Amino acid sequence: AQRVTQPEKLLSVFKGAPVELKCNYSYSGSPELFWYVQYSRQRLQLLLRHISRESIKGFTADLNKGETSFHLKKPFAQEEDSAMYYCALTRGAGNTGKLIFGQGTTLQVKP
Amino acid sequence: EPEVTQTPSHQVTQMGQEVILRCVPISNHLYFYWYRQILGQKVEFLVSFYNNEISEKSEIFDDQFSVERPDGSNFTLKIRSTKLEDSAMYFCASSADIKGELFFGEGSRLTVL
C-alpha cells in the first residue's frame, strides 16, 4: 500500500534554529516525492520535489531510498517559514498525477 | 500569475441535497483533480480527470460523486445526495502535464447539516 507518514503534528522552534520535518513513505516502486506548503490563508503550493534537487527558500530534502525517507531541512528557520507542510508522493510507473499526502506538520517559528 | 479558482468558497447544505462545486483550472492545463480534507485529517485524493474522462478515482469517489468538464473551462464536482460525512474542504487542482506541479485552488468548504 502507498502511504506517507509525517510523525510530528507540530514542530515548534525558535528563529535561527535548524529545522527538520520528517517524512517516511511506503511504496514498492520508484515514487516521486514532494513537499507542499500552505501558509496561513493561502493555497497549497509546491515547495520542492526530489527530482529537481533544488533548494527553495533555504529548504532542501534528500530522498533516502534505503530508509524510505524524504525529510525536509533548513539550517536556520525564519518566522515566515511558519506554515503547514505536507509531504506527498506520486507513483513512478502508471502515474495519473495522483498525490498521496501525509498528515501534515505545522511548523511554528517563534521570534 | 494564473490561478485555479473555486466557487463557492463556503456552502452549507442539508443532508440529502445535491451540491455542485465549481473550479476553473489554469487555462492551458490538461490534468484536473479533486481532493478533499476533512477537518483535522489529511488531504485525500478523490479523482483525476484527463481527456474528458476519469483516469483514476479513489474508494471515496463512489456513485454519489461525479465530475464533469461541461464547457472546456469549468471542472465541476457533483455530490448527488450529501451525507454528514461529506463535510470537508474540497480542493481542485490542475497541472500542465502528468509529472508536473499541481496547482491548487483555495478550496470550497462544504458543511452538511
Side-chain angles (χ1 to χ4, degrees), chain B residues 2-98:
Chain B
E3 290 181 335
V4 175
T5 56
Q6 289 185 241
T7 54
S9 56
H10 188 193
Q11 181 154 357
V12 181
T13 191
Q14 295 290 325
M15 193 168 56
Q17 295 296 304
E18 176 184 283
V19 158
I20 297 176
L21 304 178
R22 291 184 166 79
C23 169
V24 179
I26 293 172
S27 64
N28 62 340
H29 284 187
L30 300 174
Y31 298 84
F32 313 110
Y33 309 87
W34 283 100
Y35 289 81
R36 79 170 186 191
Q37 186 175 31
I38 295 170
L39 190 64
Q41 297 186 26
K42 63 172 68 178
V43 178
E44 300 173 289
F45 169 79
L46 291 178
V47 66
S48 58
F49 191 86
Y50 168 72
N51 200 25
N52 273 322
E53 59 183 29
I54 290 173
S55 44
E56 187 172 359
K57 60 183 181 179
S58 71
E59 290 174 357
I60 303 165
F61 195 89
D62 62 21
D63 292 346
Q64 292 301 310
F65 290 86
S66 62
V67 288
E68 204 176 32
R69 191 157 156 79
D71 56 13
S73 63
N74 290 286
F75 179 51
T76 61
L77 174 70
K78 184 196 286 187
I79 309 173
R80 263 180 266 286
S81 177
T82 49
K83 303 192 268 287
L84 295 176
E85 54 265 36
D86 294 327
S87 295
M89 182 73 97
Y90 288 80
F91 294 103
C92 175
S94 68
S95 67
D97 63 70
I98 197 71

Side-chain angles (χ1 to χ4, degrees), chain A residues 3-4 9 32 34 36 38 41 43-46 49 86 91-92 95-99 101-103, chain B residues 3-5 31 33 35 37 40-43 45 48 55-56 91 98-102 104-106:
Chain A
R3 191 182 302 125
V4 177
K9 277 191 112 167
E32 291 193 39
F34 305 81
Y36 277 78
Q38 188 170 29
R41 297 191 185 86
R43 62 190 69 209
L44 204 54
Q45 58 188 281
L46 179 66
R49 56 198 304 176
Y86 294 95
R91 296 193 292 263
N95 185 16
T96 60
K98 165 187 171 182
L99 279 170
F101 284 91
Q103 293 272 26
Chain B
E3 290 181 335
V4 175
T5 56
Y31 298 84
Y33 309 87
Y35 289 81
Q37 186 175 31
Q41 297 186 26
K42 63 172 68 178
V43 178
F45 169 79
S48 58
S55 44
E56 187 172 359
F91 294 103
I98 197 71
K99 294 201 171 195
E101 171 184 353
L102 263 64
F104 284 83
E106 292 187 307

Side-chain angles (χ1 to χ4, degrees), chain A residues 9-68:
Chain A
K9 277 191 112 167
L10 172 66
L11 184 64
S12 186
V13 301
F14 284 101
K15 177 181 165 183
V19 167
E20 183 179 48
L21 290 94
K22 292 186 166 40
C23 172
N24 287 90
Y25 66 90
S26 171
Y27 180 64
S28 55
S30 294
E32 291 193 39
L33 274 294
F34 305 81
W35 278 98
Y36 277 78
V37 61
Q38 188 170 29
Y39 300 102
S40 179
R41 297 191 185 86
Q42 293 188 28
R43 62 190 69 209
L44 204 54
Q45 58 188 281
L46 179 66
L47 179 63
L48 54 79
R49 56 198 304 176
H50 89 267
I51 58 170
S52 58
R53 296 183 150 269
E54 292 174 301
S55 172
I56 306 290
K57 299 185 179 184
F59 285 97
T60 59
D62 290 316
L63 181 61
N64 185 324
K65 291 185 180 180
E67 294 183 0
T68 58

